[in-house]
Amino acid sequence: MRYSGGDATFMVTTYILLAVFTLSVLYPLIFVVSASVSSADALTRGEVWFWPVGVNVDAYAEVLGSPRLVRGFLNSVLYTVLGSAIGTFLTLLAGYVLSRDDLPFRRILMFFFLIPFLFSAGIIPTYMIVNALGLMDSIWAVVLPGVLNVFNMIITMTFYRLNIPKEMLEAAQVDGATDFRFFFRMAIPLSKPIIAVNVLFYAITQWNSWFNALLYLSDDTLFPLQLVLRDILTQSQVDPSMIGGDVSELIRRKELFDKLKYALIVVAMIPPMIAYPFVQKHFTKGALIGSLK
């Protein structure tokens, strides 16, 4: 295909900008991975720019050998699975119900959903509610607050309005199907794209979340990985008890601590990077269809 002079200039400029943007996103990731497997001395001297220097994996050995970090990783996996499963299910229910034109008081219900979307009560009232419900120092204090995202619900509602024809519902009602039967037997099987969108949104949000755990958890055995990572990254030096007594002599060295930070960041990035390719196809389709309006 031949382009005119103006079109060719536009295409070249677009490709250059996309290349610059791609490099700006990839380089920090490449640097973090390279720094995590480079020697501590090379990292301290600033010799690591792109490729690893003096490759070794001692930092990952320390991470895998740390009971607290392993426990934090497993806690994050648990919170992510529960949060994404409950959040997706509630979002599908709310989105489908609000997509029905025959729902009584539909506009009023939608208005009450939009209030917390636009206005937040704040940290203190939320803390008081969590405390009054007896959720403090439990996994539900991390999972339940914010389990339903109104933005996701609006995308889901739009998806159902565009992809579930009224004629299908009317035909099912003529055959004697109840609303619950229609939702679970017909609407849900057609919802794979929007389910992928919700699962990915909720999983990423829950995986990266640490503030709820900081507010509502005092038992460090329940801390998610992100909170453990925050504790390490915000300290000027590592407490040996945070990593494990058997490596206390190594982690007193500042260079190992710097290298350990990069290894922790890589470990925290791995699950989302593994999960995304499996839902990418449905995610792209669901996000485009659900946000069309």
Side-chain angles (χ1 to χ4, degrees), residues 66-67 235 237-252:
S66 166
Q235 293 184 7
Q237 59 182 4
V238 183
D239 181 1
S241 63
M242 184 174 295
I243 304 299
D246 56 336
V247 294
S248 60
E249 293 299 324
L250 291 177
I251 58 178
R252 288 196 186 101

Side-chain angles (χ1 to χ4, degrees), residues 124-170:
I124 296 178
T126 305
Y127 182 91
M128 294 174 63
I129 292 175
V130 172
N131 187 41
L133 292 175
L135 301 178
M136 300 293 290
D137 272 331
S138 71
I139 61 174
W140 303 114
V142 180
V143 173
L144 292 184
V147 70
L148 176 63
N149 186 287
V150 178
F151 176 76
N152 294 353
M153 186 203 71
I154 294 174
I155 294 179
T156 304
M157 179 186 68
T158 306
F159 176 88
Y160 280 126
R161 291 180 68 87
L162 295 176
N163 292 272
I164 305 296
K166 295 180 181 179
E167 293 78 11
M168 182 184 297
L169 174 61
E170 293 171 355

Side-chain angles (χ1 to χ4, degrees), residues 93 96 100 177-188:
L93 283 176
Y96 171 74
R100 294 273 297 269
T178 63
D179 290 329
F180 279 101
R181 184 178 180 86
F182 178 80
F183 174 72
F184 287 105
R185 297 294 298 272
M186 302 189 71
I188 289 294

Side-chain angles (χ1 to χ4, degrees), residues 270-287:
I270 289 176
M273 294 180 66
I274 293 177
Y276 182 73
F278 294 98
V279 298
Q280 180 182 7
K281 178 182 177 181
H282 294 302
F283 171 78
T284 303
K285 180 181 178 182

Side-chain angles (χ1 to χ4, degrees), residues 105-125:
F105 310 109
R106 175 177 171 272
R107 294 184 179 275
I108 297 177
L109 290 173
M110 190 65 191
F111 175 76
F112 280 104
F113 271 107
L114 289 176
I115 289 178
F117 178 63
L118 300 175
F119 306 99
S120 175
I123 296 176
I124 296 178

Side-chain angles (χ1 to χ4, degrees), residues 12-281:
V12 170
T13 304
T14 300
Y15 281 121
I16 292 175
L17 291 177
L18 288 176
V20 171
F21 175 76
T22 302
L23 290 175
S24 67
V25 173
L26 288 179
Y27 178 73
L29 176 62
I30 295 173
F31 174 79
V32 168
V33 174
S34 297
S36 68
V37 295
S38 298
S39 68
D41 293 336
L43 188 61
T44 303
R45 293 194 300 266
E47 298 176 356
V48 180
W49 290 91
F50 193 84
W51 299 112
V53 178
V55 176
N56 63 71
V57 292
D58 54 353
Y60 291 99
E62 308 302 342
V63 171
L64 295 177
S66 166
R68 188 183 183 192
L69 289 171
V70 173
R71 184 168 58 244
F73 182 88
L74 296 177
N75 287 340
S76 287
V77 172
L78 175 63
Y79 300 150
T80 300
V81 171
L82 288 176
S84 58
I86 298 174
T88 299
F89 181 69
L90 293 178
T91 302
L92 292 175
L93 283 176
Y96 171 74
V97 169
L98 291 173
S99 71
R100 294 273 297 269
D101 292 330
D102 57 342
L103 175 68
F105 310 109
R106 175 177 171 272
R107 294 184 179 275
I108 297 177
L109 290 173
M110 190 65 191
F111 175 76
F112 280 104
F113 271 107
L114 289 176
I115 289 178
F117 178 63
L118 300 175
F119 306 99
S120 175
I123 296 176
I124 296 178
T126 305
Y127 182 91
M128 294 174 63
I129 292 175
V130 172
N131 187 41
L133 292 175
L135 301 178
M136 300 293 290
D137 272 331
S138 71
I139 61 174
W140 303 114
V142 180
V143 173
L144 292 184
V147 70
L148 176 63
N149 186 287
V150 178
F151 176 76
N152 294 353
M153 186 203 71
I154 294 174
I155 294 179
T156 304
M157 179 186 68
T158 306
F159 176 88
Y160 280 126
R161 291 180 68 87
L162 295 176
N163 292 272
I164 305 296
K166 295 180 181 179
E167 293 78 11
M168 182 184 297
L169 174 61
E170 293 171 355
Q173 290 174 338
V174 170
D175 291 337
T178 63
D179 290 329
F180 279 101
R181 184 178 180 86
F182 178 80
F183 174 72
F184 287 105
R185 297 294 298 272
M186 302 189 71
I188 289 294
L190 297 175
S191 305
K192 291 181 180 179
I194 203 63
I195 290 175
V197 170
N198 282 289
V199 168
L200 188 61
F201 279 170
Y202 282 116
I204 294 297
T205 300
Q206 192 67 57
W207 179 262
N208 292 326
S209 176
W210 58 270
F211 192 63
N212 284 347
L214 179 66
L215 290 178
Y216 308 133
L217 299 181
S218 59
D219 184 359
D220 59 359
T221 61
L222 298 176
F223 283 1
L225 177 64
Q226 301 298 337
L227 187 56
V228 177
L229 178 61
R230 171 190 173 274
D231 290 343
I232 295 176
L233 295 180
T234 55
Q235 293 184 7
S236 58
Q237 59 182 4
V238 183
D239 181 1
S241 63
M242 184 174 295
I243 304 299
D246 56 336
V247 294
S248 60
E249 293 299 324
L250 291 177
I251 58 178
R252 288 196 186 101
R253 299 168 51 192
K254 180 64 168 62
E255 57 271 19
L256 181 60
F257 171 62
D258 291 337
K259 183 178 176 181
L260 186 62
K261 292 190 294 185
Y262 292 115
L264 292 171
I265 294 173
V266 172
V267 170
M269 292 190 303
I270 289 176
M273 294 180 66
I274 293 177
Y276 182 73
F278 294 98
V279 298
Q280 180 182 7
K281 178 182 177 181

